[in-house]
PDB file of all heavy atoms in Angstrom:
ATOM      1  N   VAL A 251     -19.750  42.595   3.480  1.00 95.00           N
ATOM      2  CA  VAL A 251     -18.460  42.036   3.046  1.00 95.00           C
ATOM      3  C   VAL A 251     -17.900  42.951   1.839  1.00 95.00           C
ATOM      4  O   VAL A 251     -18.630  43.311   0.819  1.00 95.00           O
ATOM      5  CB  VAL A 251     -18.581  40.647   2.529  1.00 95.00           C
ATOM      6  CG1 VAL A 251     -17.216  40.252   2.053  1.00 95.00           C
ATOM      7  CG2 VAL A 251     -18.922  39.744   3.694  1.00 95.00           C
ATOM      8  N   ILE A 252     -16.720  43.286   1.824  1.00 96.00           N
ATOM      9  CA  ILE A 252     -15.914  43.960   0.821  1.00 96.00           C
ATOM     10  C   ILE A 252     -14.732  43.006   0.456  1.00 96.00           C
ATOM     11  O   ILE A 252     -14.263  42.227   1.431  1.00 96.00           O
ATOM     12  CB  ILE A 252     -15.350  45.281   1.317  1.00 96.00           C
ATOM     13  CG1 ILE A 252     -16.401  46.193   1.751  1.00 96.00           C
ATOM     14  CG2 ILE A 252     -14.574  45.979   0.190  1.00 96.00           C
ATOM     15  CD1 ILE A 252     -15.965  47.504   2.490  1.00 96.00           C
ATOM     16  N   SER A 253     -14.488  42.783  -0.741  1.00 95.00           N
ATOM     17  CA  SER A 253     -13.327  41.840  -1.134  1.00 95.00           C
ATOM     18  C   SER A 253     -12.478  42.494  -2.227  1.00 95.00           C
ATOM     19  O   SER A 253     -13.009  43.350  -2.999  1.00 95.00           O
ATOM     20  CB  SER A 253     -13.926  40.531  -1.487  1.00 95.00           C
ATOM     21  OG  SER A 253     -12.946  39.561  -1.688  1.00 95.00           O
ATOM     22  N   THR A 254     -11.357  41.930  -2.382  1.00 93.00           N
ATOM     23  CA  THR A 254     -10.457  42.247  -3.482  1.00 93.00           C
ATOM     24  C   THR A 254     -10.376  41.212  -4.450  1.00 93.00           C
ATOM     25  O   THR A 254     -10.420  39.982  -4.185  1.00 93.00           O
ATOM     26  CB  THR A 254      -9.056  42.645  -3.000  1.00 93.00           C
ATOM     27  OG1 THR A 254      -8.458  41.485  -2.337  1.00 93.00           O
ATOM     28  CG2 THR A 254      -9.060  43.779  -2.007  1.00 93.00           C
ATOM     29  N   ALA A 255     -10.128  41.459  -5.824  1.00 90.00           N
ATOM     30  CA  ALA A 255     -10.016  40.507  -6.868  1.00 90.00           C
ATOM     31  C   ALA A 255      -8.618  40.751  -7.512  1.00 90.00           C
ATOM     32  O   ALA A 255      -8.226  41.887  -7.779  1.00 90.00           O
ATOM     33  CB  ALA A 255     -11.034  40.776  -7.877  1.00 90.00           C
ATOM     34  N   CYS A 256      -7.903  39.641  -7.818  1.00 88.00           N
ATOM     35  CA  CYS A 256      -6.589  39.690  -8.275  1.00 88.00           C
ATOM     36  C   CYS A 256      -6.589  39.577  -9.812  1.00 88.00           C
ATOM     37  O   CYS A 256      -5.443  39.596 -10.449  1.00 88.00           O
ATOM     38  CB  CYS A 256      -5.764  38.656  -7.684  1.00 88.00           C
ATOM     39  SG  CYS A 256      -5.475  38.842  -5.968  1.00 88.00           S
ATOM     40  N   SER A 257      -7.755  39.315 -10.514  1.00 88.00           N
ATOM     41  CA  SER A 257      -7.730  39.080 -11.965  1.00 88.00           C
ATOM     42  C   SER A 257      -9.259  39.417 -12.280  1.00 88.00           C
ATOM     43  O   SER A 257     -10.179  39.451 -11.532  1.00 88.00           O
ATOM     44  CB  SER A 257      -7.341  37.735 -12.339  1.00 88.00           C
ATOM     45  OG  SER A 257      -8.313  36.791 -11.863  1.00 88.00           O
ATOM     46  N   LEU A 258      -9.456  39.532 -13.654  1.00 90.00           N
ATOM     47  CA  LEU A 258     -10.769  39.693 -14.128  1.00 90.00           C
ATOM     48  C   LEU A 258     -11.705  38.555 -13.916  1.00 90.00           C
ATOM     49  O   LEU A 258     -12.895  38.680 -13.556  1.00 90.00           O
ATOM     50  CB  LEU A 258     -10.782  39.939 -15.670  1.00 90.00           C
ATOM     51  CG  LEU A 258     -12.128  40.122 -16.249  1.00 90.00           C
ATOM     52  CD1 LEU A 258     -12.878  41.379 -15.859  1.00 90.00           C
ATOM     53  CD2 LEU A 258     -11.925  40.340 -17.944  1.00 90.00           C
ATOM     54  N   GLU A 259     -11.093  37.309 -13.965  1.00 89.00           N
ATOM     55  CA  GLU A 259     -11.822  36.094 -13.679  1.00 89.00           C
ATOM     56  C   GLU A 259     -12.270  36.071 -12.234  1.00 89.00           C
ATOM     57  O   GLU A 259     -13.476  35.633 -11.978  1.00 89.00           O
ATOM     58  CB  GLU A 259     -10.985  34.925 -13.973  1.00 89.00           C
ATOM     59  CG  GLU A 259     -11.697  33.554 -13.778  1.00 89.00           C
ATOM     60  CD  GLU A 259     -10.822  32.303 -14.198  1.00 89.00           C
ATOM     61  OE1 GLU A 259      -9.645  32.566 -14.538  1.00 89.00           O
ATOM     62  OE2 GLU A 259     -11.209  31.241 -14.142  1.00 89.00           O
TER      63      GLU A 259
END
Side-chain angles (χ1 to χ4, degrees):
V251 177
I252 304 169
S253 188
T254 60
C256 300
S257 67
L258 177 59
E259 184 179 358

